Amino acid sequence: MPGHEELLVLALGPCRRQAASDGIAMNLVFRGSRHSATRVLLAVLGAAACQNPPGRTCVDSPFTIQESASVQIVTTGECDARRPLGWVVETPPELELGGEGRGGASEFFRIRGARQLANGMLAVLDGGAREVRFFEGQGGLLFSLGREGRGPGEFIDPMLFGHHPFVQRPDSQGILVFDRTLRRLTWASTDGSLQVVSPVFSADVGRVVGGVGGRLLARRYARPSVVGVLGVHPDPGPEAFLLVDPGTGEVRVVAEVAVPGSFDHFFDGMGRTEFLPFEVPVRNAVGRDRFYVVGEKRPEVWEFGEEGDLRRILRVDARIRVATRKDLEAFTRVRVRTTTSPEAAAHWGAIYRDTPWKREIPAFDELMVDDEGFVWARFYSIDPGVSRQWVVFGHHGRALGTVEVPAELSVEQFGDGFVLGLWSDSLGVEYVRRHALLRHAP
């Protein structure tokens, strides 16, 4: 078809016959500056498509770099990728903000992001108070900016923005806040000022999540198009990634990724939408001149350039693990463990027993780019209450090894010598924690 191309990337391995017969594939559509539409069909054949043989815990395969249709495919064997890197996240945290009884700005409700700036100051976005709070490096409050409202310097539904090279200013530091209701970006500066720095975006833009090469990166979430039994949405449709000109508001779709299945249900008189078992949201991360996406359940990270062109695939040569009934039981136990009543526990037990679910265990469930430009992908775990393993990809795309991060720490930033994250206690009280990060074994 004119203006359309199809790229078929094959990673052949010892299980290629099984993979071919199983028909395992990943679909992702991207649009670059030279093509009106390009469909990428990634058929993950070989080692990534069959289960581990008995007694073997990882795929011991060589490091390779291949190229197909100008896309570089960087593959690291699973054994090398899962080997401890030697970097240490120290515990307990060196700094903790938040907690009940501390009063005022030291208590948080609905934290919507945290960041340590180059000058050592900490910025925390409190979604409940609709304000940005700036702290000095040791935790003392300096000042707060913002309040609830629709005028200048006010917020309704604020979210901390991602990387924003196009708005860095030599005379000040700060953070960008995107308001999902007011549809605008606001610069919160360390000089104590708030300034709207973008036009009001239409709802078609979706959620703005970062800046790439002078443009904004946004995600437009798919709405379920097919409803199955029990309100299940097994294939809701693609989620679009868009590049937006911050001056003109021009929007260009650069990628579409299949979103995870979900289901609707009612409890305590409220309607809810939840992901199906073993389904995780589409994850993305933003660097200085590129952005990254983890799609579906493959052990891969897709790297896009500032024009939205697919440049590299960072792959771990790992087999896709097939979930068993015992995995579903473990998944259900974890979900029931977080409930607040026997009625809720019974409700969730019945939901997961009766709801259709997909069999593949996802490889990654979180993605970040650190201040040095390394890409971090978190290995999926059925139980999020244990310490988590993150694999680190170097500048050349090779998986360098894993780093263990404390249990239940939701990472906001991997810095040069620290990890900044959010943590909640058993009562749901929110904290910001900073742990020291030793990038070489002591």
Side-chain angles (χ1 to χ4, degrees), residues 58-388:
C58 65
V59 177
D60 189 10
S61 55
F63 172 74
T64 62
I65 299 179
Q66 299 173 315
E67 187 169 311
S68 179
S70 300
V71 178
Q72 190 179 75
I73 305 167
V74 185
T75 304
T76 307
E78 184 185 15
C79 292
D80 290 335
R82 287 188 174 272
R83 187 171 294 117
L85 181 55
W87 297 359
V88 178
V89 180
E90 294 191 324
T91 55
E94 62 181 15
L95 176 68
E96 182 177 88
L97 304 174
E100 287 187 315
R102 299 186 181 183
S106 296
E107 294 185 7
F108 302 109
F109 175 61
R110 291 176 57 220
I111 299 175
R112 308 301 290 271
R115 185 83 182 174
Q116 179 165 311
L117 307 179
N119 61 7
M121 293 172 60
L122 295 168
V124 181
L125 176 57
D126 188 297
R130 277 86 167 181
E131 64 183 19
V132 181
R133 299 173 187 168
F134 286 93
F135 299 84
E136 51 90 18
Q138 298 306 310
L141 177 67
L142 297 173
F143 55 87
S144 299
L145 300 174
R147 60 184 180 184
E148 184 176 1
R150 295 177 176 272
E154 297 177 335
F155 306 107
I156 297 295
D157 187 15
M159 300 285 295
L160 184 66
F161 192 65
H163 192 72
H164 43 84
F166 61 92
V167 80
Q168 294 286 11
R169 304 178 180 184
D171 57 338
S172 70
Q173 295 187 50
I175 62 169
L176 274 173
V177 178
F178 177 66
D179 195 302
R180 296 193 295 183
T181 297
L182 301 179
R183 315 295 306 166
R184 68 189 185 195
L185 284 166
T186 299
W187 173 256
S189 174
T190 55
D191 64 13
S193 64
L194 281 171
Q195 180 183 1
V196 176
V197 295
S198 75
V200 177
F201 299 109
S202 70
D204 290 339
V205 170
R207 174 190 169 194
V208 178
V209 296
V212 183
R215 295 184 180 90
L216 303 173
L217 178 68
R219 293 175 60 169
R220 187 165 60 203
Y221 297 106
R223 285 179 168 81
S225 57
V226 178
V227 180
V229 296
L230 301 176
V232 175
H233 314 288
D235 298 297
E239 177 177 349
F241 284 82
L242 311 95
L243 289 178
V244 185
D245 188 307
T248 65
E250 178 187 359
V251 177
R252 180 162 56 89
V253 177
V254 296
E256 293 179 339
V257 182
V259 300
S262 61
F263 64 94
D264 302 325
H265 67 106
F266 290 87
F267 183 68
D268 282 346
M270 297 180 61
R272 306 167 188 261
T273 298
E274 305 283 345
F275 289 117
L276 292 171
F278 315 117
E279 296 283 279
V280 296
V282 176
R283 297 300 187 184
N284 75 273
V286 183
R288 290 180 175 84
D289 59 354
R290 63 200 67 187
F291 68 96
Y292 302 85
V293 175
V294 172
E296 295 195 359
K297 300 185 177 183
R298 311 303 168 194
E300 297 175 344
V301 177
W302 295 69
E303 178 185 292
F304 294 85
E306 60 185 15
E307 297 295 330
D309 52 313
L310 180 64
R311 292 182 175 179
R312 290 196 300 183
I313 299 173
L314 313 182
R315 174 183 294 165
V316 174
D317 189 11
R319 298 183 176 96
I320 304 299
R321 191 165 78 84
V322 176
T324 65
R325 179 58 59 176
K326 288 185 177 180
D327 290 323
L328 182 62
E329 293 172 354
F331 183 94
T332 304
R333 284 196 300 271
V334 170
R335 185 65 181 88
V336 169
R337 188 178 67 199
T338 63
T339 59
T340 57
S341 68
E343 293 78 13
H347 170 79
W348 284 109
I351 282 286
Y352 288 129
R353 182 184 65 244
D354 300 331
T355 301
W357 50 284
K358 298 182 180 180
R359 298 187 63 196
E360 295 86 5
I361 299 287
F364 304 130
D365 63 5
E366 191 56 273
L367 185 67
M368 301 199 74
V369 178
D370 70 14
D371 293 353
E372 304 297 316
F374 291 167
V375 178
W376 298 58
R378 188 175 67 185
F379 284 111
Y380 175 83
S381 173
I382 291 176
D383 187 354
V386 299
S387 60
R388 305 298 297 277

